[in-house]
Amino acid sequence: VTVWGKCTVTSSTSADSLAISGLPYVCNSNTDSVAGTIGRTSNMVVYTSSNKAANPDYYFPVVSAGGSSVYFCVFFGGRSYGNISFSVVDSGNVNFSLTYFI
């Protein structure tokens, strides 16, 4: 399944993960999580800390094995990644795409 879209985000103090839920098909549970790519962003800045002080290396969309939601994640220092929360995003838009197996 290939998913693509545009996510519009507004600034918030919520600690909830930035995600789009309700994909029409569940990702195969026998695969690893599947990462996609970020296309054009406009006016959107993602930070790695809640005080918005540090920019991440890069960010990307992910569908977890057995999941049906797209989570936006940040890659830290080339070694690990974590979900982005609303509290570390300034308002803006992000285009994305990813392909996963059902």
Side-chain angles (χ1 to χ4, degrees):
V1 174
T2 298
V3 177
W4 57 268
K6 178 180 180 179
C7 181
T8 300
V9 181
T10 57
S11 292
S12 172
T13 58
S14 172
D16 291 340
S17 295
L18 180 59
I20 298 171
S21 60
L23 294 175
Y25 301 100
V26 174
C27 182
N28 187 316
S29 60
N30 294 323
T31 63
D32 291 329
S33 297
V34 179
T37 59
I38 296 289
R40 182 179 184 275
T41 62
S42 60
N43 301 323
M44 185 169 156
V45 179
V46 177
Y47 301 87
T48 58
S49 63
S50 60
N51 64 6
K52 300 183 179 181
N55 287 312
D57 291 339
Y58 58 90
Y59 50 101
F60 52 92
V62 171
V63 174
S64 297
S68 61
S69 297
V70 176
Y71 287 90
F72 292 89
C73 297
V74 59
F75 200 66
F76 300 107
R79 297 184 176 223
S80 64
Y81 70 91
N83 291 345
I84 297 170
S85 70
F86 281 96
S87 63
V88 296
V89 178
D90 282 343
S91 297
N93 300 304
V94 59
N95 296 318
F96 68 95
S97 67
L98 60 85
T99 300
Y100 66 97
F101 296 101
I102 56 173

